[in-house]
Amino acid sequence: MQNIIIRNVKQEDLWAVSSIVVEGWKSAYRGIIADEFLDSLKVEDNYNKRLKDYQENGFIVAEIDNEVVGFCRYTIKNLFSQDVKDIDCELCAIYVKPDLKKQGIGKALFNYVIQEQKKNNNKNMILWCLKENYNSRKFYEKMGGILYGENEIEKGGKKYKEVGYRYDLCNL
């Protein structure tokens, strides 16, 4: 396995990050989310969203041989509604280039976030995932996630179920 470097995102990484998101959605969610919505995804549109995210803390990339191959976004504070008081942080997004999955990149990103959360004295992290995204769910469970609850999101005018995974950071 090549050396994976985890570092804070730079503005010049955002196009690569946006490409990974669009590629990732089109490969992971085909058959789960409506084709019309997936086919409408554009790197340019995602890039504009990433410019906003770039201003926030908790945005890291995984790099191999000077190429961005994955990224992760997370919060170190509870940004949730009052019904989840026991959660104090979130892993908001974790993506790896589809052709590089199962090579330790996601695990490296995930473990980095866990260490950052622990440094900030957080105890319980949540991660949301589409309910039918079974490949990702297997990974989240392997990383220690316990099913926490469900909610709904809307994409392209259609509603989809999400499941939340809770991580007890004291035991990871």
Side-chain angles (χ1 to χ4, degrees):
M1 180 65 223
Q2 300 160 344
N3 190 28
I4 303 167
I5 297 167
I6 307 293
R7 61 169 174 78
N8 286 323
V9 70
K10 299 176 191 164
Q11 190 164 357
E12 57 266 25
D13 299 326
L14 297 179
W15 192 263
V17 164
S18 297
S19 297
I20 292 169
V21 170
V22 171
E23 274 180 61
W25 273 68
K26 288 181 178 184
S27 81
Y29 299 143
R30 191 71 65 189
I32 299 173
I33 290 186
D35 286 348
E36 306 81 55
F37 179 78
L38 294 175
D39 294 339
S40 75
L41 295 175
K42 292 182 177 37
V43 175
E44 299 81 20
D45 297 337
N46 193 272
Y47 179 81
N48 291 324
K49 290 179 191 170
R50 297 302 139 223
L51 282 171
K52 178 189 171 292
D53 296 340
Y54 170 70
Q55 306 301 326
E56 301 168 2
N57 291 327
F59 194 161
I60 57 172
V61 295
E63 184 181 275
I64 297 175
D65 294 332
N66 298 315
E67 177 190 359
V68 173
V69 294
F71 77 95
C72 195
R73 289 187 40 248
Y74 58 96
T75 66
I76 55 172
K77 291 192 168 105
N78 183 349
L79 303 176
F80 317 103
S81 61
Q82 292 307 305
D83 58 329
V84 287
K85 290 180 182 156
D86 60 325
I87 301 295
D88 48 22
C89 56
E90 181 178 11
L91 197 163
C92 312
I94 182 167
Y95 286 83
V96 173
K97 285 183 92 167
D99 58 331
L100 295 176
K101 287 187 175 181
K102 299 184 189 273
Q103 295 187 32
I105 299 163
K107 187 175 182 180
L109 286 162
F110 191 92
N111 287 333
Y112 180 95
V113 171
I114 296 299
Q115 294 312 309
E116 287 299 301
Q117 300 296 15
K118 287 180 175 184
K119 280 185 208 169
N120 285 282
N121 298 313
N122 287 324
K123 307 282 186 268
N124 292 291
M125 182 175 77
I126 195 162
L127 175 153
W128 292 97
C129 168
L130 283 175
K131 187 174 184 175
E132 293 183 48
N133 186 354
Y134 297 110
N135 287 332
S136 292
R137 288 182 63 182
K138 277 188 240 168
F139 172 75
Y140 301 142
E141 290 165 9
K142 185 174 140 189
M143 298 306 291
I146 306 295
L147 213 50
Y148 178 83
E150 280 190 22
N151 68 25
E152 267 187 350
I153 61 165
E154 187 179 313
K155 296 289 176 188
K158 295 186 179 178
K159 293 185 188 268
Y160 301 93
K161 294 259 187 231
E162 276 188 321
V163 290
Y165 284 97
R166 179 182 168 275
Y167 293 86
D168 178 353
L169 299 175
C170 299
N171 292 316
L172 292 180

